[in-house]
Amino acid sequence: MSGHLTHISLLKHGAVEAGDVFCGSLETSLSKQGWKQLKQKFSRNHGGWDAVVTSTKAQCTAFAEWFAQKNDLPLVCDERLREIDFGVWEGCSPQQILHTQPAELSDWWCNPAQYVPDKGESFDEFRNRVLDAWDDILRSNRGQRVLVVTHAGVIRVILAAILHIPDEALLSLNVEYAALTELRVLRDRSGEWTSLLAHGH
């Protein structure tokens, strides 16, 4: 492929053993359903990737390692691609938080960049590390097709940066389990230009 054109596929991990809870720092494995979601997706989508990059969290590395080995692809693990740390909300469902901290949950839904759960990671720190990782992925993989296995928050941050989506609209970007987001990056003398080809398929 031309060195001027790079394709990046962002893949959200499948369903996890912990269930539908806040899990940024929480370590949780893929559930049987999560494995099924991912393997069904990739039985239909071979992608022609040249490399795999993954978050260091277990729900991402398990599939990334399996897929890279199965297709004889190089694998890079990058801890900057982990989900934001939700602090005291870790391991809790939104329904539980609604009962204990309804105002705080409402503030977070309205603008996740402005409200940080107690002991959680600031959104600016999260965004900065994710976009640093994104820049490195582009620099290291010019002209290739790369599969990036990561989390919903990471995918939202990257899309928001590319599409200039305001912080208060971040959670309007729906990112389902095992969803793929396809991006194309064109590099020419004037810089890099990223296009969204598909989201959530």
Side-chain angles (χ1 to χ4, degrees):
M1 180 181 295
S2 167
H4 297 291
L5 198 60
T6 305
H7 283 82
I8 309 289
S9 300
L10 304 175
L11 172 67
K12 183 186 174 181
H13 61 78
V16 297
E17 291 286 359
D20 292 326
V21 299
F22 289 100
C23 52
S25 62
L26 183 71
E27 201 65 58
T28 180
S29 300
L30 283 173
S31 65
K32 289 182 179 179
Q33 176 64 16
W35 274 106
K36 182 179 179 181
Q37 290 166 336
L38 291 164
K39 288 186 174 180
Q40 283 182 339
K41 171 67 63 70
F42 286 88
S43 68
R44 302 187 301 270
N45 190 335
H46 299 290
W49 290 285
D50 301 300
V52 181
V53 181
T54 182
S55 160
T56 53
K57 304 302 286 185
Q59 61 265 49
C60 296
T61 57
F63 177 77
E65 290 171 357
W66 174 84
F67 186 80
Q69 184 176 18
K70 181 175 183 286
N71 294 282
D72 194 25
L73 298 173
L75 174 68
V76 174
C77 296
D78 192 331
E79 60 88 22
R80 294 172 297 177
L81 293 172
R82 70 188 187 280
E83 183 61 276
I84 193 169
D85 186 337
F86 292 103
V88 296
W89 290 3
E90 290 286 332
C92 299
S93 68
Q95 291 77 18
Q96 289 173 306
I97 303 300
L98 184 62
H99 287 298
T100 58
Q101 295 183 285
E104 291 84 351
L105 183 63
S106 177
D107 288 343
W108 182 79
W109 278 117
C110 289
N111 191 339
Q114 291 299 310
Y115 179 77
V116 180
D118 189 30
K119 300 181 182 179
E121 180 180 10
S122 83
F123 190 83
D124 283 343
E125 290 177 354
F126 173 56
R127 174 160 43 205
N128 288 339
R129 68 169 164 84
V130 168
L131 294 181
D132 280 347
W134 172 248
D135 288 343
D136 284 347
I137 289 169
L138 294 182
R139 273 195 299 270
S140 301
N141 298 279
R142 283 176 183 160
Q144 296 191 312
R145 299 184 71 96
V146 184
L147 178 66
V148 180
V149 187
T150 187
H151 310 266
V154 173
I155 294 170
R156 289 187 179 109
V157 162
I158 293 171
L159 285 179
I162 292 166
L163 302 176
H164 306 288
I165 296 171
D167 291 341
E168 59 269 22
L170 274 171
L171 294 178
S172 67
L173 287 167
N174 189 46
V175 187
E176 300 283 353
Y177 288 129
L180 266 177
T181 296
E182 305 282 357
L183 300 167
R184 181 180 61 202
V185 184
L186 173 66
R187 187 170 186 269
D188 59 22
R189 292 180 180 179
S190 60
E192 287 185 339
W193 309 94
T194 305
S195 301
L196 176 64
L197 302 181
H199 174 63
H201 71 98

